[in-house]
């Protein structure tokens, strides 16, 4: 997929960052993601996983719409959430997309209220997201894309089980898992809600 096919604000941002052509990983996955495919993206650090995530979500959502989030991104902790939010704020410049972080070190009632006021993209730690959901603090019925960023953290502190709860609570959705390596435990997801997912490996 060429950058020329992106929405104008995103295209302008990428140009301002000095990116002329997609990275090799982006050439492999951006068109597949745009087409709605669920993917396990297995690639080393600095190969373009995060920028691919940012580009794909912004391109898919395009603009703010209604109040319920349409994209959910799981991250390992508060710092990872805040770092990704900063990246989104750069890439979404020129759009009105609303990004929100939900993590354990913040008042949960405040988070429920702020999410209720309307967001398009939620970046969350798994445990906090589930707490908010089971308190009826977030509507996942409009979710279009669910992502796990730097998925190695899933296999610590029961995060794998926490993230697995989400597909049980939503309807049809596109799933993207970004990881440095493919873990055998991902096969459980391949046998259930990600049974038709493609595995894209990039060295």
């Amino acid at each position: 997929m060429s950058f020329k096919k992106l929405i104008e604000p995103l295209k302008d941002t990428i140009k301002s960052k000095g990116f002329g052509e997609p990275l090799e990983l982006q050439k492999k996955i951006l068109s597949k993601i745009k087409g709605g495919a669920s993917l396990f993206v297995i690639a080393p650090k600095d190969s373009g996983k995060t920028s691919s995530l940012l580009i794909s979500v912004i391109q898919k959502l395009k603009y703010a719409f209604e109040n319920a989030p349409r994209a959910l991104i799981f991250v390992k902790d508060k710092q990872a959430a805040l770092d990704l939010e900063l990246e989104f704020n750069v890439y979404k410049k020129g759009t009105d997309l609303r990004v929100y972080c939900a993590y354990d070190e913040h008042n949960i009632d405040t988070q429920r209220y702020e999410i209720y006021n309307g967001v398009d993209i939620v970046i969350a730690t798994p445990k906090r997201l589930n707490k908010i959901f089971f308190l009826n603090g977030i509507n996942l019925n409009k979710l279009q894309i669910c992502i796990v960023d730097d998925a190695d953290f899933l296999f610590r502190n029961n995060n794998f089980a926490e993230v697995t709860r989400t597909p049980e609570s939503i309807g049809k959705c596109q799933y993207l898992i970004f990881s440095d390596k493919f873990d055998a435990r991902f096969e459980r997801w391949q046998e259930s809600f990600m049974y038709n997912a493609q595995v894209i490996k990039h060295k």
Side-chain angles (χ1 to χ4, degrees):
M1 176 177 163
S2 168
F3 287 155
K4 295 178 181 178
K5 297 181 180 180
L6 300 176
I7 59 174
E8 287 300 327
L10 184 53
K11 193 190 305 181
D12 292 342
T13 296
I14 289 172
K15 184 178 180 180
S16 71
K17 292 177 73 67
F19 300 148
E21 294 292 328
L23 299 170
E24 287 302 313
L25 177 64
Q26 292 167 342
K27 291 177 182 177
K28 287 183 179 181
I29 67 173
L30 288 182
S31 60
K32 293 179 183 293
I33 296 172
K34 183 180 180 182
S38 290
L39 304 177
F40 290 94
V41 180
I42 312 302
K45 293 187 183 302
D46 301 321
S47 57
K49 295 196 295 291
T50 299
S51 57
S52 297
L53 181 163
L54 297 162
I55 291 168
S56 296
V57 171
I58 294 167
Q59 176 69 16
K60 188 177 186 75
L61 303 190
K62 295 182 174 61
Y63 49 80
F65 183 71
E66 296 185 340
N67 290 330
R70 290 170 290 149
L72 171 62
I73 305 166
F74 285 111
V75 294
K76 64 180 179 179
D77 56 24
K78 171 185 175 180
Q79 191 58 54
L82 294 175
D83 289 346
L84 188 58
E85 181 186 32
L86 285 175
E87 293 273 14
F88 261 112
N89 288 340
V90 172
Y91 275 78
K92 74 181 184 70
K93 186 177 180 181
T95 78
D96 60 352
L97 288 169
R98 301 157 296 177
V99 181
Y100 187 79
C101 290
Y103 46 81
D104 295 336
E105 295 89 338
H106 192 32
N107 182 276
I108 194 167
D109 291 325
T110 300
Q111 289 176 333
R112 291 171 64 191
Y113 174 77
E114 291 172 343
I115 291 171
Y116 178 80
N117 280 342
V119 294
D120 301 292
I121 301 160
V122 172
I123 305 168
T125 55
K127 288 181 174 61
R128 178 46 56 105
L129 186 282
N130 280 320
K131 286 180 182 177
I132 293 172
F133 179 77
F134 287 110
L135 289 171
N136 294 318
I138 186 170
N139 177 5
L140 298 181
N141 291 331
K142 302 295 184 180
L143 206 63
Q144 296 178 19
I145 186 167
C146 182
I147 300 171
V148 182
D149 190 30
D150 288 334
D152 292 350
F153 79 91
L154 287 172
F155 308 109
R156 300 188 295 272
N157 302 322
N158 204 38
N159 283 313
F160 189 81
E162 293 281 358
V163 172
T164 303
R165 290 184 188 181
T166 303
E168 298 170 353
S169 308
I170 61 178
K172 186 177 180 181
C173 187
Q174 180 181 15
Y175 294 94
L176 302 176
I177 312 300
F178 292 91
S179 182
D180 293 349
K181 60 183 179 181
F182 188 90
D183 191 286
R185 285 166 284 192
F186 285 142
E187 293 173 3
R188 299 179 203 172
W189 288 354
Q190 287 179 301
E191 294 167 359
S192 55
F193 62 92
M194 291 188 70
Y195 65 91
N196 60 346
Q198 301 176 46
V199 179
I200 307 297
K201 293 186 177 181
H202 179 75
K203 296 182 179 180

